[in-house]
Amino acid sequence: MREKLLINGGNNLSGEVEIGGAKNSAVALIVAAILARDIVILTNVKPIEDVFCLISILEKLNVNCYYDKKSTLIIDSRRIKNTRLDSDEVYQLRASYYFMGALMSLFDHAEVGAPGGCNLGERPIDLHLLGFSKLGFDYHLDENIFIFDKKSESETTINLPKISVGATINILLASIGREKRVVINNIAIEPEIKDVIEFLKKMGANIKCRGRRLTITPQGKLKGVTHKVIPDRIEAGTFMILGSILSPYLKINNINIKHLRNIIDVLSKIGVSIEEGDTYLIIRKQSKYTSQNIKVKPYPGFPTDLQQPLTVLLSMCEGESSIEETIYPARLSHVDSLNKMGADIRIEDNLIKINGVKNFKAADVDGEDLRGGISLVLAALLGEGESKIGGVKYIKRGYSDLVKKIEGIGGNIKIIGETNK
Ligand code: EPU
């Protein structure tokens, strides 16, 4: 049997949980590390599938990358060699596209397969390509592989027509190796992007960030550094939602409170009790919640990555709530499965409409992407009886030690079946 999570739900969960380092920061930092052509030490890197994929891709570039301790990653790129990146792992995760920018920073030629990642509907990379061409790189496709060649170089300003996390990071990485000044306008300002900028600056890059504008000025050789990955605000948000529906008391440790403001605001409006510290939060579930209308937006707005988990909490509110998913309108894989588990969710125009229900019920369902998968886990923990949740491989992309963390607060959860990649 395929790997599944077997969950016996319906119990309160109480205690403390530790949040790991941010996935979307780590996957960019690991690739950015090769710009140093030196030894970089990244701490607070949680062991998740996306990181293991990147370690395999780095091997192809002759970069030695390994976990020293549980969450400390060593990346030695002193003997890096440029090569075509088209192994299976490249097609498995989104962040493999950061090798495009990083290799263009180091070499005049790069060959990288089209990225994979969760199926959230259309995920174009036109903005990345626009930036690369403004930086003087031409590209052509050899089947599914992007081949970039440097043609020219001049001072440039790149105006991104849309806010994109990936394009901001990728174009920033490619800009580091330039000999002329680069300005990027309308950048994404997610905390993970700020983390990448801080990391590159520590390595010696000359970057100025003002609002949604980045200015990158040529610098000398970069050097290896030690850097601690910021806490994962999406993992923290997931446990905040879990606490809101299941926990008389849940202390969430290892967070950065400033990064969670948008999530705290929404949960507070719903009626969740939240006690704040700088590096921890205490959530206490309440008996009555108020429905809300939420619009997902780029940071500092409410994150799309919590849209799917939030539908579970909104299902526990009285009356009808709605979420407008403006970033990935097709990020809806959770809806049918949650409805099988007792939710009352429908899609109307561009809105996800959620009617409050009394409770969830156990079911045998499959997660189809990372955040959709975790929303099914939350519903299974709420619903009385035994649920089986498939699609564990997606959940493992972003959550480490999930079973241990949920068991640690009294949850009845285990993995059954064979690991499938
Ligand atoms: N977009 C374009 N063209 C592009 C790039 C993006 O039209 O060239 C559009 C996208 O289709 C989307 C919007 O711009 O409508 C924003 O996409 P963005 O580029 O910001 O997303 P991403 O970089 O592919 C990252 C995270 C996602 C997260 C989004 C939005 C990583 C590795 N992935 O994706 O994380 O949902 O930003 O915040 O950082 C997750 O963790 O579950 C996850 C999917």
Side-chain angles (χ1 to χ4, degrees):
M1 189 183 69
R2 279 183 307 122
E3 201 175 24
K4 290 190 179 210
L5 285 166
L6 185 69
I7 296 175
N8 253 296
N11 307 321
N12 279 339
L13 305 181
S14 281
E16 297 196 23
V17 69
E18 309 292 318
I19 299 303
K23 165 181 93 82
N24 290 343
S25 218
V27 294
L29 294 169
I30 291 168
V31 182
I34 66 175
L35 301 194
R37 291 182 189 258
D38 200 355
I39 299 172
V40 165
I41 301 172
L42 291 176
T43 63
N44 206 26
V45 182
K46 59 183 171 188
I48 47 174
E49 279 307 314
D50 276 10
V51 170
F52 297 128
C53 278
L54 289 175
I55 294 175
S56 301
I57 300 171
L58 284 169
E59 252 173 49
K60 308 274 183 290
L61 293 169
N62 203 34
V63 173
N64 193 10
C65 178
Y66 56 94
Y67 273 101
D68 185 26
K69 297 191 206 107
K70 193 172 178 215
S71 60
T72 300
L73 202 63
I74 315 287
I75 305 159
D76 180 353
S77 61
R78 286 174 298 177
R79 280 170 288 279
I80 188 166
K81 278 195 202 123
N82 195 6
T83 183
R84 171 176 280 211
L85 295 180
D86 61 352
S87 58
D88 289 349
E89 292 82 9
V90 172
Y91 302 103
Q92 268 170 41
L93 84 162
R94 198 78 200 146
S96 58
Y97 56 24
Y98 293 139
F99 282 105
M100 297 177 179
L103 289 177
M104 277 184 245
S105 176
L106 294 171
F107 308 102
D108 290 343
H109 177 87
E111 300 188 9
V112 184
C118 282
N119 180 7
L120 313 176
E122 237 193 296
R123 298 185 79 178
I125 63 162
D126 55 312
L127 303 173
H128 306 236
L129 298 172
L130 166 87
F132 298 148
S133 86
K134 289 286 244 170
L135 292 172
F137 279 85
D138 275 359
Y139 82 91
H140 67 276
L141 270 165
D142 176 7
E143 301 203 337
N144 218 3
I145 296 158
F146 286 89
I147 302 183
F148 299 93
D149 279 294
K150 187 172 160 185
K151 289 287 174 243
S152 60
E153 173 133 23
S154 57
E155 201 164 292
T156 187
T157 296
I158 301 162
N159 296 314
L160 292 171
K162 188 169 180 181
I163 293 175
S164 156
V165 170
T168 300
I169 294 177
N170 223 348
I171 298 167
L172 167 63
L173 295 181
S175 302
I176 298 296
R178 308 279 64 84
E179 284 153 19
K180 299 276 170 29
R181 198 174 74 125
V182 178
V183 176
I184 315 172
N185 285 321
N186 200 28
I187 62 160
I189 51 169
E190 269 66 2
E192 294 76 24
I193 290 173
K194 296 286 172 76
D195 201 21
V196 174
I197 293 171
E198 282 318 304
F199 172 68
L200 291 169
K201 280 166 82 169
K202 261 195 226 170
M203 294 206 300
N206 197 344
I207 306 169
K208 284 210 169 57
C209 182
R210 286 236 169 80
R212 291 199 181 270
R213 165 181 296 214
L214 277 182
T215 307
I216 302 108
T217 314
Q219 77 282 320
K221 197 179 162 321
L222 302 188
K223 61 173 193 304
V225 293
T226 299
H227 182 82
K228 184 175 179 192
V229 180
I230 58 168
D232 194 320
R233 65 196 166 95
I234 306 301
E235 185 187 359
T238 305
F239 276 98
M240 288 166 73
I241 292 171
L242 180 152
S244 309
I245 53 178
L246 284 156
S247 304
Y249 174 94
L250 183 66
K251 185 163 183 237
I252 304 173
N253 296 316
N254 281 344
I255 53 134
N256 182 332
I257 197 79
K258 290 191 201 125
H259 299 164
L260 298 175
R261 194 50 55 206
N262 44 14
I263 304 165
I264 293 171
D265 286 351
V266 166
L267 266 51
S268 300
K269 277 194 198 137
I270 290 172
V272 178
S273 156
I274 306 174
E275 195 182 313
E276 295 181 27
D278 286 346
T279 58
Y280 70 89
L281 277 172
I282 297 169
I283 304 282
R284 291 183 178 87
K285 106 173 166 180
Q286 303 297 300
S287 54
K288 219 172 143 183
Y289 286 138
T290 315
S291 56
Q292 296 293 323
N293 301 315
I294 313 290
K295 190 170 178 174
V296 158
K297 286 194 197 130
Y299 191 85
F302 188 85
T304 168
D305 293 341
L306 287 176
Q307 174 263 111
Q308 292 159 301
L310 187 71
T311 53
V312 178
L313 171 58
L314 292 176
S315 295
M316 295 296 113
C317 296
E318 280 185 8
E320 187 178 85
S321 299
S322 70
I323 308 183
E324 188 178 347
E325 171 58 91
T326 61
I327 297 180
Y328 290 114
R331 197 171 201 171
L332 301 169
S333 71
H334 55 316
V335 172
D336 287 348
S337 295
L338 285 179
N339 283 342
K340 264 192 216 155
M341 301 177 89
D344 179 3
I345 306 176
R346 65 188 196 284
I347 310 302
E348 239 179 62
D349 302 323
N350 57 344
L351 291 182
I352 304 166
K353 293 208 164 167
I354 304 124
N355 254 313
V357 292
K358 288 259 167 333
N359 205 347
F360 282 90
K361 58 179 191 241
D364 194 344
V365 286
D366 284 332
E368 291 171 35
D369 59 73
L370 166 58
R371 311 299 173 185
I374 201 72
S375 68
L376 305 186
V377 170
L378 296 176
L381 288 167
L382 258 175
E384 267 178 35
E386 188 178 273
S387 288
K388 286 194 189 116
I389 312 289
V392 176
K393 65 175 183 180
Y394 300 116
I395 299 173
K396 283 182 173 175
R397 279 188 169 166
Y399 296 90
S400 63
D401 298 329
L402 183 71
V403 166
K404 218 163 115 195
K405 286 181 186 180
I406 293 177
E407 270 177 347
I409 51 175
N412 190 336
I413 177 170
K414 64 178 178 192
I415 292 208
I416 53 169
E418 304 276 315
T419 308
N420 63 315
K421 289 224 166 181

